[in-house]
């Protein structure tokens, strides 16, 4: 799928129209760590099939926001609804079922160092391993690797992979569970411009192939331009601005414009 | 005036904040506060272990793998240590016994010392150093690189996979290692006896078995289960909830060894008291 990722040069649909099919809804969401009020009042709606980029200075709570969505951080106050279900009110089983629909690509890739690439991909499927025939498991793993252009790396260990390959493998491992919502935590940080573009194109390819809804935390403005249908800018724990790339690029607020310069 | 302070403690996999009122009159030193919060956090962690250990699915493959790494891979170190302890103890004890003309009691004295106390405690300390630091550093580095979070978001239970398996392996492998170390220690003692004497293996081991009682062996083995559990629990706790950053990895490994070793002595002290009460 990504053999010629840089040549494909995909771009997000800037004329994307919300279909009213709300996937994630946040109402007055708050999160603090001690006296550090990271998220003060977040109100946000994310629609199905949308690619939403979240921009903001370091420490404004972008990563905390998506960690709240995936359940790694507990919210203090407000409502967080995923597919209409308030996750604070869900019981364990329902919560797990809802969270299964959410995939998370970590900034570092978060690959399991002690396992090979194959084992990294098989790990999320451990619960189903007994019910999946060996041949089918092999084809699932190979397809996931093919999707991110890592066919040759199946028996390597994470330490033998480059930064870009680690990000791709992290993405493959997330996609193997077929999530409906993809959360990307700074997917292009630490990568050269060519690899960054490949990862950006990969995000779009994944969205098109699996019809996922994506939330992308990034500082990379080129990645934002390529991938986002809509952008929000976080400032001091609230959404300071919202719009398309073209709209925010011409914002009257010089602070918002500074992100796009 | 009382001021509101907050402290992160850990419940399940999530960071939970405990807000409490701090009054200088009531809590004179924040060390006490930190200590009690740490105890509370460790208690929650321990209770979660007992909850997860009985709840299926069981991580049998990982348990076997950890038992191999924790138990089998520790054999050479434990063997060398046990042999040296047996040898040195015999050589050091001989002159004192010789003063009282009791050299013939040397095998019995060394055997009782090794099996009752020195074997379990020294092996547990070596175990805390090797296995405790390894588990602490491994889990802490997994925490730093978000591998634990990655397990959680991929519909796996990292606590069951990483913590429960390691604590169980440590609990069941340490007693086996202690029995092995005791055996090797007695072999070392046999060598030590024969440096300045000529005692046959049959005579040496006959004297040992005649001098040993069930009451010497049984409590010594039982307490090693507690040693192993404490070492595994502290190492996994320190690793699982380490601070982010490379400094956190070092601190986790260090505190796993220090607190694990300290717990060995505390449990040993309690075990000796309990044993003496039960035997009287």
């Amino acid at each position: 799928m990504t053999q010629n990722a840089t040549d494909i040069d995909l771009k997000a649909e800037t004329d994307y129209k919300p279909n009213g099919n709300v996937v994630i809804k946040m109402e007055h969401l708050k999160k603090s760590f001690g006296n550090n009020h990271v998220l003060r009042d977040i109100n946000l709606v994310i629609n199905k099939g949308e690619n939403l980029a979240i921009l903001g200075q370091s420490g404004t709570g972008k990563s905390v926001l998506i960690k709240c969505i995936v359940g790694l951080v507990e919210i203090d106050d407000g409502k967080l609804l995923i597919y209409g279900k308030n996750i604070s009110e869900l019981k364990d089983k329902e919560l797990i079922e809802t969270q299964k629909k959410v995939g998370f690509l970590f900034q570092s890739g978060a690959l399991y160092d002690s396992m090979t690439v194959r084992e990294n991909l098989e790990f999320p499927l451990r619960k189903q391993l007994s019910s999946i025939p060996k041949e089918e498991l092999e084809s699932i793993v190979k397809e996931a690797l093919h999707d991110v252009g890592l066919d040759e790396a199946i028996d390597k260990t994470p330490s033998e992979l480059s930064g870009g390959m680690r990000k791709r493998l992290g993405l493959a491992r997330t996609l193997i569970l077929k999530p409906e919502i993809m959360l990307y935590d700074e997917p292009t940080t630490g990568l050269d411009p060519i690899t960054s573009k490949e990862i950006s194109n990969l995000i779009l390819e994944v969205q098109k192939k699996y019809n996922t809804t994506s939330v992308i935390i990034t500082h990379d403005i080129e990645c934002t331009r390529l991938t986002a249908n809509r952008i929000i800018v976080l400032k001091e724990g609230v959404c300071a601005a919202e719009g398309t790339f073209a709209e925010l690029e011409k914002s009257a607020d010089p602070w918002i414009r500074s992100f796009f310069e | 005036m009382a001021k509101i302070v907050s402290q992160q403690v850990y419940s399940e996999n999530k960071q939970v904040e405990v807000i409490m009122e701090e009054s200088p009159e009531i809590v004179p030193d924040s060390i006490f506060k930190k200590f009690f919060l740490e105890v509370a956090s460790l208690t929650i962690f321990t209770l979660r272990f007992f909850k997860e250990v009985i709840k299926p699915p069981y991580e049998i493959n990982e348990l076997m793998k950890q038992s191999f790494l924790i138990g089998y891979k520790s054999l050479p170190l434990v063997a060398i240590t046990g042999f040296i302890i047996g040898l040195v103890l015999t050589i050091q004890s001989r002159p004192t016994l010789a003063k009282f003309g009791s050299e013939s009691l040397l095998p019995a004295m060394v055997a009782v010392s090794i099996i009752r106390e020195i074997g379990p405690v020294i092996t547990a300390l070596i175990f805390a150093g090797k296995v405790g630091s390894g588990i602490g550093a491994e889990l802490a580095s997994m925490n730093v690189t978000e591998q634990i979070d990655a397990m959680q978001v991929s519909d796996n239970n990292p606590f069951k996979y990483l913590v429960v398996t390691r604590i169980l392996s440590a609990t069941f492998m340490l007693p086996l290692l202690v029995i092995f170390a005791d055996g090797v220690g007695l072999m070392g003692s046999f060598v030590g006896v024969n440096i300045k004497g000529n005692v046959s293996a049959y005579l040496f081991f006959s004297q040992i078995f005649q001098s040993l009682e069930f009451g010497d062996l049984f409590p010594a083995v039982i307490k090693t289960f507690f040693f192993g559990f404490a070492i595994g629990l502290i190492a996994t706790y320190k690793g699982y909830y380490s601070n982010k950053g490379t400094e956190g990895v070092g601190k986790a490994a260090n505190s796993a060894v220090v607190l694990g070793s300290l717990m060995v002595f505390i449990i040993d002290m309690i075990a000796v008291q309990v044993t003496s009460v039960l035997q009287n």
Side-chain angles (χ1 to χ4, degrees):
Chain A
M1 192 157 107
T2 56
Q3 297 296 329
N4 301 304
T6 46
D7 305 332
I8 297 167
D9 204 12
L10 297 167
K11 199 169 181 312
E13 295 169 34
T14 46
D15 57 348
Y16 170 83
K17 296 273 185 301
N19 50 23
N21 195 350
V22 176
V23 173
I24 299 171
K25 191 174 184 184
M26 297 173 192
E27 292 174 3
H28 307 294
L29 195 124
K30 293 180 181 72
K31 177 69 197 174
S32 304
F33 294 99
N35 291 325
N36 183 13
H37 304 292
V38 182
L39 303 176
R40 288 168 188 268
D41 187 17
I42 301 286
N43 294 288
L44 185 62
V45 171
I46 305 170
N47 294 293
K48 188 163 174 58
E50 182 176 24
N51 278 359
L52 174 76
I54 302 178
L55 300 180
Q57 284 180 295
S58 297
T60 48
K62 302 184 298 296
S63 295
V64 172
L65 184 68
I66 57 169
K67 283 184 178 174
C68 287
I69 298 173
V70 81
L72 287 173
V73 174
E74 217 169 52
I75 61 171
D76 292 341
D77 199 8
K79 275 186 185 173
L80 170 58
L81 297 103
I82 299 177
Y83 288 106
K85 292 175 182 169
N86 187 346
I87 63 155
S88 308
E89 292 169 1
L90 294 181
K91 291 191 174 145
D92 280 359
K93 215 172 181 181
E94 268 186 309
L95 185 65
I96 290 167
E97 285 306 313
T98 307
Q99 284 173 343
K100 265 186 194 174
K101 294 173 183 165
V102 185
F104 194 107
L105 178 65
F106 288 86
Q107 191 176 341
S108 60
L111 304 175
Y112 310 129
D113 297 331
S114 57
M115 301 180 195
T116 63
V117 168
R118 181 196 298 274
E119 288 164 344
N120 262 279
L121 292 174
E122 285 175 356
F123 191 83
L125 299 168
R126 289 167 67 249
K127 283 186 182 168
Q128 298 109 288
L129 274 184
S130 53
S131 59
I132 302 174
K134 215 173 176 182
E135 299 76 31
E136 197 185 326
L137 180 67
E138 182 78 8
S139 76
I140 292 172
V141 168
K142 283 186 172 168
E143 190 197 340
L145 282 177
H146 180 72
D147 279 352
V148 296
L150 282 179
D151 305 66
E152 305 301 316
I154 192 160
D155 291 317
K156 289 186 176 174
T157 56
S159 59
E160 294 174 276
L161 304 179
S162 66
M165 290 164 92
R166 291 171 71 92
K167 286 264 165 78
R168 284 159 180 248
L169 177 57
L171 183 56
R173 192 181 62 187
T174 309
L175 290 173
I176 213 158
L177 286 172
K178 305 267 186 285
E180 294 170 23
I181 304 165
M182 274 299 301
L183 309 175
Y184 298 90
D185 190 3
E186 303 196 20
T188 57
T189 299
L191 301 177
D192 63 85
I194 296 169
T195 314
S196 293
K197 197 172 179 183
E198 285 178 3
I199 297 291
S200 301
N201 285 338
L202 199 53
I203 292 170
L204 286 173
E205 289 172 40
V206 163
Q207 197 258 328
K208 284 193 167 63
K209 184 172 178 182
Y210 297 101
N211 193 27
T212 52
T213 305
S214 307
V215 181
I216 306 147
I217 303 291
T218 186
H219 290 289
D220 181 351
I221 219 64
E222 184 59 14
C223 172
T224 310
R225 188 183 66 80
L226 285 171
T227 57
N229 308 120
R230 187 161 63 104
I231 301 164
I232 65 160
V233 184
L234 285 190
K235 187 181 183 183
E236 292 168 4
V238 294
C239 297
E242 182 183 343
T244 63
F245 190 93
E247 286 165 358
L248 294 181
E249 198 179 20
K250 293 168 192 157
S251 168
D253 185 342
W255 185 80
I256 303 288
R257 270 203 324 274
S258 67
F259 281 96
F260 299 87
E261 284 163 3
Chain B
M1 201 178 102
K3 64 174 180 178
I4 304 294
V5 294
S6 65
Q7 173 83 31
Q8 300 286 324
V9 297
Y10 298 93
S11 170
E12 302 289 314
N13 284 333
K14 291 166 188 162
Q15 294 175 8
V16 177
E17 235 178 335
V18 172
I19 308 290
M20 55 189 202
E21 282 199 11
E22 182 191 56
S23 161
E25 295 81 27
I26 298 167
V27 188
D29 196 333
S30 66
I31 292 171
F32 289 113
K33 189 178 72 195
K34 280 183 182 168
F35 172 76
F36 285 117
L37 282 169
E38 190 78 3
V39 170
S41 199
L42 183 60
T43 307
I44 293 169
F45 188 82
T46 311
L47 293 175
R48 189 173 175 204
F49 165 77
F50 286 113
K51 185 182 137 194
E52 299 279 5
V53 78
I54 52 170
K55 201 170 79 179
Y58 307 109
E59 299 285 356
I60 303 295
N61 288 342
E62 182 62 13
L63 180 65
M64 291 298 151
K65 184 185 162 194
Q66 288 305 322
S67 298
F68 174 80
L69 294 174
I70 288 172
Y72 182 74
K73 293 273 184 180
S74 302
L75 280 177
L77 184 63
V78 165
I80 293 166
T81 318
F83 187 85
I84 293 170
I85 293 291
L87 183 72
V88 170
L89 188 64
T90 307
I91 294 169
Q92 296 274 34
S93 305
R94 182 192 287 273
T96 312
L97 289 175
K99 277 185 191 170
F100 299 101
S102 311
E103 267 183 287
S104 60
L105 291 175
L106 191 57
M109 194 221 78
V110 171
V112 170
S113 306
I114 287 177
I115 286 167
R116 271 194 173 189
E117 194 59 35
I118 296 171
V121 171
I122 297 289
T123 310
L125 293 176
I126 296 287
F127 191 80
K130 183 185 181 292
V131 174
S133 65
I135 291 174
E138 184 192 13
L139 295 194
S141 65
M142 288 184 80
N143 195 12
V144 168
T145 54
E146 298 178 306
Q147 291 177 51
I148 294 178
D149 287 346
M151 280 187 187
Q152 200 183 333
V153 300
S154 66
D155 189 29
N156 280 287
N157 182 343
F159 194 95
K160 195 176 258 297
Y161 185 79
L162 298 171
V163 175
V164 172
T165 53
R166 280 160 179 78
I167 295 177
L168 283 181
S169 297
T171 308
F172 292 108
M173 285 301 110
L174 183 58
L176 295 177
L177 287 171
V178 167
I179 292 167
F180 177 73
D182 287 350
V184 177
L186 295 179
M187 296 296 291
S189 174
F190 175 67
V191 173
V193 165
N194 279 288
I195 287 174
K196 281 189 179 174
N198 186 15
V199 180
S200 71
Y202 177 77
L203 181 62
F204 179 82
F205 286 104
S206 297
Q207 280 191 339
I208 284 175
F209 289 120
Q210 277 168 15
S211 63
L212 285 177
E213 292 172 6
F214 181 72
D216 295 321
L217 190 64
F218 188 69
V221 173
I222 292 297
K223 72 181 174 186
T224 58
F225 283 98
F226 291 96
F227 290 168
F229 177 77
I231 292 167
L233 184 80
I234 287 165
T236 49
Y237 172 75
K238 286 290 172 188
Y240 200 74
Y241 291 140
S242 64
N243 294 328
K244 298 280 182 186
T246 46
E247 195 192 357
V249 178
K251 276 187 179 172
N254 183 268
S255 9
V257 177
V258 173
L259 291 177
S261 304
L262 185 65
M263 282 307 292
V264 167
F265 287 113
I266 292 170
I267 292 168
D268 191 46
M269 186 180 70
I270 296 167
V272 167
Q273 294 299 320
V274 171
T275 309
S276 72
V277 168
L278 290 176
Q279 283 178 342
N280 286 332

